[in-house]
Amino acid sequence: MVTRGESQQAASRERRPELDAMRMLVVVGLVFFHSALVFATEGDFYVTNAETTEVITVIAGFGVVWAMPLLFLISGLGAWHSLQRRGAGTFAKERLLRLGVPLLVATVVLNPLPQWLRQRSSGRGHDQSYLDFLPRFFDVHVEWDEFPFLVQGDHFETGHLWFVVLLLTFSLMLASLHRWLPHRPFRRLADRVAAVVLRRRGAVLFPAPVFAAICAFAGMEEDYAGWHRWSYLLFFVAGFALATDIRFRTAMRRDARFASCAGAFLFMASAPGFITADDPFMGSTPLAMVSRALFGAAGWCLVVGIPGLLDRPHRQQPLRGAFPPAFPPASPPTPTTRQRVRRYLAAAVLPLYVLHQPIVVAVAYLVVGWSAPIPVEYVVLVTVSLALTLTAYELLVRRTRVARFLFGMRIRS
């Protein structure tokens, strides 16, 4: 029988490459997602094509229900491991540098461009130059009731960096609680919950009604990928809690198929309401609230199911009494091509996230003027945007120490 201590040791010992793969999948998928919004009938993207289609709304909705929640869950998992290694103080400093610095740099350097292109594409005489537009973008004030998005303005926005704002806020909140709150009660509670989740099939889905209630009663915010901003805190905390004991991982892997099927079914059940309700995101009609509740429950089921389906644990040495090899290798093995690609992309996640949306909007501004079918414009938009994003990362970010620091990457020795 595996003890609590052994479960915690196992949970903290193994690197999980599928989590890096999922993070990269979501970030690269955002190029496809934001490119699709150019052709969506609903919504208010920066640049909109003359010809649109409602099909984009349904397809984009299925990505919204799980993609960003999954990023926050994975971030919570990583936060637990980071706190165990570094402690609360060092963890907070590291988060401020690796999230706060790129947030500030991108807000100043990159974020004005999409807003300027929005103005120019509106077709109402907005021919102001970029340099003349910049003072309008930085005409800001503080609104405390929008916490943590305190800086507001008529043209200012955090844009796609809302994820970085929330992740930094949640990380600093976690560091404060981790330093001052007693740990023993939390560990005892986690041990009891892990035992129940492992013993009872489907118990890992019990938080689904909580997310359903938040979506139904607090509403959903289009500016933050459809979810209410504080819903993401629960995904982040859930990831932190799931990392504390390997039994949670075992339960997620065991129940992955059921969770994925349940999530897909609940999302499909919510779709008619989002299409037909007058205000599905914030409306108080029964149809809108039920649709949001189904959406919230679907999100948790998919966030449990997708990592569980992709989880392929490596063969582990026994937790106790393991013998060292008789003839240890003289040098570490040469990384395979797959391992090198995975490491390259894992390090690129945050810079690619920061870079992608301004590039997508700039390319879309040029593409929407074409008289070509939507599929052709979309393929060109995705291909060019993805190529430019990867090129910008490789040539402008990855190769210099200063640029790596400014975009939240580790400094190579």
Side-chain angles (χ1 to χ4, degrees), residues 24-81:
M24 197 63 231
L25 174 66
V26 171
V27 170
V28 172
L30 288 174
V31 175
F32 292 81
F33 173 78
H34 287 133
S35 296
L37 295 183
V38 175
F39 308 97
T41 303
E42 303 293 334
D44 183 29
F45 198 62
Y46 301 92
V47 178
T48 304
N49 195 51
E51 183 184 357
T52 59
T53 173
E54 293 184 355
V55 175
I56 297 297
T57 303
V58 177
I59 296 175
F62 186 71
V64 163
V65 73
W66 63 267
M68 298 310 294
L70 183 60
L71 279 188
F72 280 102
L73 185 90
I74 294 173
S75 298
L77 287 164
W80 185 84
H81 294 288

Side-chain angles (χ1 to χ4, degrees), residues 241-278:
L242 291 173
T244 61
D245 198 299
I246 198 173
R247 288 173 288 183
F248 290 121
R249 178 182 176 183
T250 302
M252 291 174 67
R253 192 166 59 247
R254 179 195 63 199
D255 297 336
R257 290 186 179 180
F258 173 74
S260 300
C261 292
F265 174 79
L266 290 169
F267 172 77
M268 289 188 292
S270 73
F274 279 96
I275 294 173
T276 59
D278 292 335

Side-chain angles (χ1 to χ4, degrees), residues 137-411:
F137 181 84
F138 292 109
D139 183 11
V140 298
H141 58 276
V142 174
E143 291 187 16
W144 295 101
D145 58 345
E146 290 293 330
F147 180 84
F149 303 96
L150 300 176
V151 181
Q152 298 287 324
D154 292 338
H155 299 283
F156 178 87
E157 65 166 8
T158 55
H160 66 299
L161 300 178
W162 63 264
F163 168 74
V164 183
V165 175
L166 288 180
L167 183 56
L168 178 59
T169 302
F170 299 161
S171 298
L172 296 179
M173 292 168 59
L174 177 63
S176 300
L177 292 173
H178 192 269
R179 167 172 283 186
W180 298 112
L181 291 183
H183 294 175
R184 287 186 179 180
F186 173 77
R187 290 172 180 168
R188 288 197 296 267
L189 177 61
D191 179 54
R192 294 173 182 173
V193 174
V196 172
V197 167
L198 187 63
R199 186 168 62 250
R200 299 184 180 179
R201 296 188 65 89
V204 73
L205 301 182
F206 283 177
V210 177
F211 290 95
I214 291 176
C215 289
F217 295 103
M220 299 166 61
E221 298 179 287
E222 292 185 73
D223 290 341
Y224 310 120
W227 289 84
H228 193 280
R229 69 190 74 178
W230 295 111
S231 298
Y232 292 120
L233 175 60
L234 293 186
F235 284 110
F236 180 79
V237 172
F240 182 85
L242 291 173
T244 61
D245 198 299
I246 198 173
R247 288 173 288 183
F248 290 121
R249 178 182 176 183
T250 302
M252 291 174 67
R253 192 166 59 247
R254 179 195 63 199
D255 297 336
R257 290 186 179 180
F258 173 74
S260 300
C261 292
F265 174 79
L266 290 169
F267 172 77
M268 289 188 292
S270 73
F274 279 96
I275 294 173
T276 59
D278 292 335
D279 184 9
F281 285 88
M282 296 299 296
S284 57
T285 63
L287 177 61
M289 295 183 68
V290 169
S291 299
R292 292 199 300 268
L294 293 172
F295 181 93
W300 176 253
C301 291
L302 290 171
V303 165
V304 168
I306 293 173
L309 288 175
L310 298 178
D311 187 5
R312 295 293 183 270
H314 299 291
R315 188 173 183 179
Q316 297 291 304
Q317 295 292 334
L319 290 173
R320 295 181 184 273
F323 292 96
F327 300 99
S331 60
T334 302
T336 64
T337 301
R338 177 182 293 184
Q339 290 173 329
R340 288 195 295 267
V341 171
R342 188 179 69 222
R343 292 173 185 174
Y344 178 89
L345 295 178
V349 167
L350 181 57
L352 292 181
Y353 180 88
V354 171
L355 289 168
H356 85 277
Q357 182 159 289
I359 292 175
V360 169
V361 175
V363 177
Y365 181 76
L366 301 175
V367 170
V368 294
W370 298 358
S371 58
I374 287 179
V376 173
E377 293 185 350
Y378 178 70
V379 169
V380 172
L381 176 55
V382 169
T383 303
V384 175
S385 298
L386 190 57
L388 289 177
T389 302
L390 290 169
T391 301
Y393 165 71
E394 177 62 30
L395 299 182
L396 302 179
V397 177
R398 180 175 174 267
R399 300 194 179 195
T400 66
R401 292 172 60 88
V402 173
R404 291 174 68 88
F405 171 75
L406 294 178
F407 280 82
M409 298 182 68
R410 297 188 187 278
I411 306 298

